[in-house]
Amino acid sequence: MALLAPLRRVEKFGLEVPANVTYPKWEPGGEYTKSVVIKNVNIKTQKIKFKVSSNAFFSTLYPQPIVLSAGNTYSLPITFRPTEKSDYEDFIEFETKEGAFRVPLYALIPQPHLTVPESLQFGVCGVKDTVTIDITITNTGFVPTELRWECFPPFEITPLVAGLGVKESIGLKVSFKPLTATVHSVPAVLHYGEDLSLSKTMKLIGTSKYPHLEVKHTKTSSPVKCRSPVKRIRPRQHEFDGSVRVQFGDVPVGIVSEATIEIINTTPVPASFTLLPESETHLKDVLLTFSHSEGTIPPFGTLINKLYYAPSYPEQVSARYFNLNTVGGLGSTRIICTGNPISPGLSLMEECANFGSVECGQSSTVVVHIRNTSNAHCLYQVLIDPECVFHADSPCGEIKPDSVNPLILHFSPNKPHPYHRVIEILCLNQEPLTLHAIGSAYTDTIRPVVLKPHHVSLYKSAAYSGLSRYPPEFLDECIENGSVAIDKDGLLLITENADPQIYQNASVSGGEQGKQQHSSMYTRYLQPENEPYESTHVSIDVESIDFGFTPYRRSSEKKVVTITNHTEGNVYCVWSTERGEVFQVVPSERQIHPNTTVVFDVTFWPDKPNQLFSRQLECYICYKSLRNYSMVNDQVLILPWCLHLRAIAHSFSPGTEPFLPSLSFNTCNIVFPSTIEKRTVYRTLVGRNRGDTPVMFKFTPDPTSVFDIKPECGLITGVHQLFVLSMSPKFPQLYESILSCTMNNCPDYKQDLLLSGLADTPKIEISKGNVYFMPTLIGSYSEVNLSIKNPCGLPVRVVWQTRGPQAHIMSVNPQILSIGPCDTAGVSFRFSPLEEKDYCVKVVAVTTFRNLNIEKSAHRYKYAIKLHGHGGTGNIKCSRNEIDCKSVSIGTSRRHHIELENVSNCTVSFRLGLSQVIEFEDNTKEEVPLGKTTHGVELSQAEGGLAPHYKLPLTLTLRPSQPGLIHSSLYYRLTGDNNTDNRGETNLMANRNNGWVLLCSFQFRGVYPGLCIINVQTDGMTASLSKSQVWNMLQIDRLNYFLNQYPSAEELRYTISTRHSVTRKVPTLTRAFVDFNFGTAALAKEKESVYYLLLENNSSVPTEWGFQFPADMYLEPEYWSETGCLNATEQHEFDVVKNGLYTISPKRGVLSVGERVIVRCSYRHSTLGLSQLPVLLKINRGREIMLNFIGSTSPVNSPSITYLSPVHVFAPVPIDVQSHQIQYFGLTNFGDTTGAYSIDTAPLDELTATNYGICILKCLEPEGILPPRQTTPIPFVFSPTEAKSYTFDLSVCLSTGSILTISFQGEGLATDLISKIDLEPVTQNIPEISDLKLPDQMIGQSQERFNLGNIPLYAVVRRLIFLKNQSQYSLSFNWELTGHLLEKIVSIHPKSGYLQPSQAITCRITFHALSSPAVYDTDITCKIVNESEQVVYKKKMEEWNKSGSDSQHHFTIADPETKTTPRVTGHTTGKTYEEWKKFDLSVKSKTRTRKRLKEEIKAPEPPTVQYIRIGITAKTHTISDYSKLFDDFDSYTIDQRSLSFNHSPPTNEKGMVTVKRSESVTVDAILTQMLRELLTDSNFKSSLTTLVQEPVPFFSQFSSKYQPTSVAIDSKETLVAARHVYAARLENLPMDTAEQGSSSSFHFERDDKPLETVSAISVGLPEPPPPLAALNCEDKIGFEIKNSPEFQVMTEKTVENILLNIVRESLAKELNLSAPLYTIAKPPKTM
């Protein structure tokens, strides 16, 4: 048995065991054993138990405890005995002291196990690119397997099928080849195992992207001087967007110009590219090459690509197009390369070399200069031999850039003759240069004429006119007879008297000479050898003679040459050869008659063996008369001519190897520039002799006779030899030929030149044959651009011709177009319809070659294009006809988007216009017509174009500058070339508006952001104030008035965030000031007066608001500029802010339309005295209002009496009423102690005396007490006698010693001028419904104020209010009716109760219009207590009371002399409190003990109490006055029981006496102290409980109560009759009774007994009419019961209770009042 430890081990309860035991390889019937190795890794010995497996296939030792010491190991063998081929799973369980665990046992069927990655990430790959990842798969199982992959595009796996042995590995290649740009996630499935039944999945993930390349120009870097930058130009009409143009400029031929471009890969994938020419040319002239024509750029990489431009011949402006194609890319980038090859720039500084007259045998020398003005080295060669009469020291050479080389010429004549030769100087890549060399040779016997430089110009003129064909003597005769004349410049002219033959010869000769004069130097040099020009004077039939091999010192065969005289005179020929030379011409001199031919023999006699011979034989010819200077007039002298013949030969005997030639050409592939038929083009070639021996060359003639080369034979003795090649095509086609050059007359030494050229025709390639225009608006135009390409190698001129009656409809621009070689240009066709119909016009393009002297009819091609178009009308519609843009804040802007749609088939051009009507707030209007400057509206696009059925987004920017409603109308007008109406159809509205058509109308209102305060709540020290008091203290109406006004320009100057104050004083940019009075309270650090303001955005735009303290607007200066001195006001404000007395939260915000926010304003009473702080309420782009925060703190235990306003205004009172209302003026005591007041009524007495004893204003309570934290109403009766305004100034003396002066104002109203508004109670715009919900508010109320209006006396008015518990606790409520007056006139039911969470209750408020007429403005307070907290409080209070009761009998005596710990004594001492109090303790000890007890035992704080208030405002009138002033008396119910009132005069029932002020204060202080002592006395408290249980005292029976006398009042049949009875009774009251009813003591008392009658009036009233006599006794009793007051009250209460129950059931959701009505159909009747 082998001990095999598992690979992975785990720790269980301090034991290290294998994670599992696996039997990987087994067969049925075998026995396999493995061990479980257990190691104790704990620090103590462990005892282990194990359980044997119940499975018979796994067995182990007999179970016995295993004891393992720390660090020891134990091996438990487990034997596996399989019986069949299946999977086996089991476990062995071990148990320790700490717990039990299991070790799994596995014996699975042997299977292959492959390690395959779960996924492969290929990253980002370019489209059509390939990313390959190599992976390795290993078979970790014990069975070999076959692999087969199942893979899907764009992924590939190689190989797909393979075999894998045990423990073997195989490498795979996974490729990612995307064809589209997307995210690819493909599963690759690997099938393996027996029958490929097993599988594994490998997820292949890759992202493909399109590669994109950008071409960017950079600075060029060229090793030569000629460099040109790469320029990105604006694409022309024919170019693609983003094309890059590389302009090389002027580049000399033979120079390589270099430019650099950057190819940038802007994608995260590699980008492969190719640079290919856009079109292949017929000629293989490689002018442009790239350093990288293909390659791959890494992601976000850059490739520097160089362009090389090497022109091969001049006079060709080349343009090549290349496309940068990206493998897998979506597009290509065009690169346009242009260059202008130019000639090197060699020139002669002298035109003529004059050698003068030289004796034969002598020599003369002249130096001429060759200048090179280019930037390249230039090669030249003078085509004269050293043996010639005119010869040069260095016939070939190289001129450096920008330099001048001297050319030394020699004149060595050997025969007397006038000499003139045009010396050709060949230049590489340039036309040959010509130099006129003149000289005369004489002997003693022969003196020819002396040639001078001006003879050259005379000769050119004579040759041009054809007179050079005549001898000088003939011209002299013509001058004499007048046929020829001499002009002022000495030139010969043919006159009118000339012979006609001279005219004919002159016209023919002159035309040919003119062609020769204007032909190129190539043409003059390369004349056909077999076709002599007729215009030439003399000609030779051959230009070269090849004698071949001639033995040494033997004469060769004669060669015959023929010279023809084409002139009209005798000429004399002189050959430059002499006797003894290798080449001889016989005869050497001879005369030739006019128009005759002479034959000469040329022989070759070599003087050296094995040599190469070459000689240029010259024949100088002149008119015979020129050989004698005396026979020729200088004015008619004609220059001689020179004919030259090239003769070559060699003396190498057959079988002798000639010199080894080392001749190389600069190119063997010569491409001629494009030309036309019968027009010759030229190229130059240079052959370099690399050896040290001369090289003889000879070119075989071209079999096609198209190509030619000069010189065709010769001997190269110098460094190089220049050749001129020509191509003269006969037909327009591509020509190719090979010229073979045989060197040293040996067939083995040959070199071929490949010549090619193209004879072009002026053809063009047009992208379209038919041009279709879009439907075009009548009067407008549309354009179509076409691309025209010139495939030729010559510039093409295109002329467009438009014919037909509709030619003016279609036009082409440009009319004449020039296109360079292989270039592309664009042409624009314009269609301008005049009427609504279809058009078809044919235009013809005539093409010719540009700048070529060819016949007009030759080389012309025509191309026809048909233009199709349709003329139509246009119309534009708007997406919305009417737009309401709502409101826009002044000073801001808002954008509105609309769409304009072209509903026609034509592309239209339009112009937009606006007209406006502005309605200002003062009801004035302003009209802005079309074309004028509009207000507050800007268009994103005032004009433009629209394609057919295309939508154009248009943005309206609204920017109002002043408030008002702006009505705007948007118009459009179609425009064309003439900017007129181009609709093509008449429109009534368009005609009325000068072509303008209405699109849409929109309106918007310019407004300022607004804000208003709609409600206010109090908390803290101001919680006891009524809503009307708070409304007046904060001046809410005044604040809202200012908020509704428009801001001034100064207020709009700054925003909320701008700090603009340079001083600590708040800048006052506004005239709106409002006082915010926080009231007065006693000094306490924790006391605050809190106001909750409900702000609402009442405007139609969002409002940004903020409260700014002085520091928020202060722009703090630099430290050095601070003075450090503050005045008193600044110091006060600084202290207020520093102490944090005023807080506002939040201080700023933004409100959307209709949104509300609660702002908490508080004042902390921590500083004595008056605290004021200016706070700016700022609305951004709106009003600024200065709020003067006023708060006061009074000392503790002192009253603080104040008033709301120094001016009190009474309600208006009619002057003719019988009874005037009582009105109240309130004094508020903000202190914590009682105060008193006294009003000086002396001014009122004086006023009464002035008005003849009529009391205008009477104070009913001139003196009184002011309870703390309450407002005391002082009653006044204002009785005006005239319809005017009254003002009364009264002094009020306060108990604090201060005197207040109050101005009372009132107004008397005439009855005929009274309106209902004047009689309504003043409510200060206080809302009736509570909208302000505080965050911690526990209960909600449906209404917080009732305005009952005008009410007649004795009427009963009822209102309902709903209370809802908004908290999660159980609440209790209790209505508090404080005050004698409030208890009499207001009742509420239920008065108290409990509310569970989310429970609602209905309360009924009843207002009884009793007492005298008065103006009421009072509040009912409801106390809200959290019962959950109240229960806790009561429990704590009981515990505290218990501990307090113990403290009365347990106390500690501290003796300073006693060092022991004091003991607590109690009842165990045997002494009671009464005994202990007999001890004489010092006052100091008592005070100290009480203080210590107070600190040790502190009473629990009661729960927080919340208050809600219901405000009631009403104005009561007597019944007679109400009937006179109002007509709705029938809507009120009169409580007839309330008519019982007391007629006895007011008596002092309390037995009060009048005392002085000082006495009253003294008595008040004594009684207060006595009451405090009684409250602190425990005996007094205990005696109160016994008094309640005592019987009724005997003296209570002596109480007297006044019982009024009652009389019966019969009911009337109608309520109208009762109203007149009541009014009549009140009108008959005596004056004293009325006055008593107006006094404060005139009150009503109710009788506890049921009232059957109504209290009678002291005066006699007429009895009511008796009931109907016809009624019997029972009906009479019923009638009396129904009309009795009790029955009416009972009936009213019954109906009221029914309605109240319905409302309560609906509130409790037991009844749905809004449910629809259902009709129940009756069952059908049964027969």
Side-chain angles (χ1 to χ4, degrees), residues 1336-1357:
D1336 56 348
Q1337 186 173 345
M1338 294 186 295
I1339 200 166
Q1341 58 191 103
S1342 61
Q1343 200 163 351
E1344 66 177 5
R1345 195 168 182 85
F1346 293 102
N1347 184 13
L1348 304 181
N1350 296 280
I1351 303 174
L1353 281 178
Y1354 317 119
V1356 179
V1357 180

Side-chain angles (χ1 to χ4, degrees), residues 461-673:
S461 176
Y464 183 76
S465 61
L467 296 177
S468 61
R469 297 169 60 90
Y470 296 95
E473 58 273 16
F474 179 78
L475 295 177
D476 285 337
E477 295 177 359
C478 291
I479 292 173
E480 291 178 359
N481 58 28
S483 298
V484 177
I486 300 175
D487 62 1
K488 61 179 180 179
D489 296 329
L491 303 179
L492 299 177
L493 299 175
I494 300 176
T495 62
E496 298 177 355
N497 300 326
D499 188 9
Q501 185 65 28
I502 296 178
Y503 269 113
Q504 181 180 1
N505 292 337
S507 61
V508 175
S509 179
E512 296 297 334
Q513 293 289 348
K515 290 182 181 180
Q516 184 178 1
Q517 181 75 15
H518 292 85
S519 62
S520 64
M521 296 300 176
Y522 285 119
T523 305
R524 296 180 182 181
Y525 174 64
L526 296 174
Q527 293 182 359
E529 57 186 23
N530 55 354
E531 294 182 3
Y533 290 114
E534 295 181 358
S535 61
T536 58
H537 301 80
V538 292
S539 62
I540 189 171
D541 59 346
V542 295
E543 293 185 356
S544 63
I545 299 175
D546 184 7
F547 288 93
F549 167 69
T550 301
Y552 172 63
R553 290 188 180 278
R554 292 186 181 182
S555 177
S556 64
E557 295 182 359
K558 296 181 180 179
K559 298 289 185 179
V560 179
V561 295
T562 302
I563 295 178
T564 303
N565 179 12
H566 302 282
T567 65
E568 301 297 329
N570 294 326
V571 297
Y572 192 81
C573 300
V574 175
W575 289 91
S576 61
T577 57
E578 298 181 358
R579 291 185 178 183
E581 293 183 357
V582 177
F583 295 96
Q584 294 287 334
V585 179
V586 180
S588 61
E589 296 181 8
R590 188 169 180 177
Q591 179 179 342
I592 305 176
H593 297 288
N595 297 319
T596 59
T597 301
V598 177
V599 176
F600 295 89
D601 296 334
V602 183
T603 59
F604 169 62
W605 188 83
D607 56 353
K608 293 180 182 180
N610 299 327
Q611 291 290 329
L612 300 174
F613 299 93
S614 176
R615 171 71 187 276
Q616 189 182 51
L617 304 179
E618 296 176 295
C619 179
Y620 289 94
I621 305 173
C622 66
Y623 285 108
K624 186 176 181 180
S625 58
L626 296 181
R627 292 178 60 83
N628 189 349
Y629 70 95
S630 60
M631 297 177 60
V632 179
N633 186 3
D634 187 70
Q635 296 178 347
V636 294
L637 190 144
I638 304 300
L639 290 179
W641 305 280
C642 178
L643 299 177
H644 46 82
L645 175 68
R646 172 62 64 179
I648 59 173
H650 69 92
S651 60
F652 287 94
S653 60
T656 303
E657 184 177 358
F659 302 139
L660 181 63
S662 181
L663 179 64
S664 62
F665 299 98
N666 60 339
T667 178
C668 294
N669 185 7
I670 302 173
V671 180
F672 285 87

Side-chain angles (χ1 to χ4, degrees), residues 1386-1406:
V1386 177
S1387 62
I1388 188 166
H1389 179 78
K1391 191 173 182 181
S1392 62
Y1394 295 91
L1395 286 176
Q1396 299 301 323
S1398 301
Q1399 183 184 357
I1401 192 173
T1402 304
C1403 294
R1404 177 182 57 191
I1405 300 175
T1406 305

Side-chain angles (χ1 to χ4, degrees), residues 1316 1348-1359 1407 1519 1522-1523 1526-1535 1615-1616 1619 1692:
K1316 292 186 178 182
L1348 304 181
N1350 296 280
I1351 303 174
L1353 281 178
Y1354 317 119
V1356 179
V1357 180
R1358 299 173 182 86
R1359 294 291 185 267
F1407 181 83
I1519 296 178
Y1522 192 90
S1523 301
F1526 306 98
D1527 55 358
D1528 57 345
F1529 181 80
D1530 298 339
S1531 61
Y1532 291 95
T1533 301
I1534 304 299
D1535 189 358
L1615 185 61
V1616 178
R1619 183 184 63 178
E1692 182 181 356

Side-chain angles (χ1 to χ4, degrees), residues 1412-1555:
S1412 302
V1415 178
Y1416 297 99
D1417 187 359
T1418 184
D1419 281 5
I1420 306 174
T1421 304
C1422 182
K1423 181 180 179 180
I1424 310 297
V1425 179
N1426 189 339
E1427 290 299 322
S1428 301
E1429 296 179 357
Q1430 186 71 14
V1431 172
V1432 177
Y1433 168 71
K1434 289 182 179 180
K1435 184 177 180 181
K1436 292 182 179 180
M1437 197 65 187
E1438 290 178 358
E1439 297 176 356
W1440 183 82
N1441 290 332
K1442 183 178 180 181
S1443 61
S1445 176
D1446 294 340
S1447 65
Q1448 293 180 357
H1449 306 282
H1450 297 74
F1451 56 90
T1452 302
I1453 300 176
D1455 190 356
E1457 298 179 357
T1458 305
K1459 297 183 179 179
T1460 60
T1461 304
R1463 296 179 298 173
V1464 179
T1465 60
H1467 293 283
T1468 57
T1469 60
K1471 298 178 183 288
T1472 61
Y1473 175 74
E1474 288 77 5
E1475 297 175 351
W1476 278 109
K1477 68 180 181 179
K1478 296 178 181 179
F1479 287 91
D1480 188 10
L1481 299 177
S1482 62
V1483 179
K1484 183 176 182 181
S1485 299
K1486 292 181 179 179
T1487 305
R1488 185 167 59 248
T1489 302
R1490 291 176 181 175
K1491 183 177 182 182
R1492 185 166 60 252
L1493 291 175
K1494 186 176 180 181
E1495 292 177 355
E1496 293 177 356
I1497 304 174
K1498 193 174 183 180
E1501 296 182 357
T1504 304
V1505 178
Q1506 289 188 0
Y1507 294 92
I1508 61 174
R1509 295 177 179 274
I1510 301 296
I1512 298 178
T1513 59
K1515 184 184 290 188
T1516 60
H1517 306 265
T1518 62
I1519 296 178
S1520 58
D1521 291 339
Y1522 192 90
S1523 301
K1524 185 187 301 182
L1525 297 175
F1526 306 98
D1527 55 358
D1528 57 345
F1529 181 80
D1530 298 339
S1531 61
Y1532 291 95
T1533 301
I1534 304 299
D1535 189 358
Q1536 299 181 13
R1537 299 176 302 171
S1538 301
L1539 295 178
S1540 298
F1541 54 90
N1542 191 359
H1543 298 285
S1544 60
T1547 59
N1548 193 352
E1549 297 178 357
K1550 298 181 181 180
M1552 298 180 64
V1553 297
T1554 304
V1555 297

Side-chain angles (χ1 to χ4, degrees), residues 155 229 233 327 628 665 712 720 910 1053 1283 1408 1445 1515 1717:
F155 297 95
I233 65 171
V327 178
N628 189 349
F665 299 98
E712 62 181 7
H720 62 262
F910 62 89
R1053 185 179 303 171
H1408 300 270
S1445 176
K1515 184 184 290 188
L1717 299 177

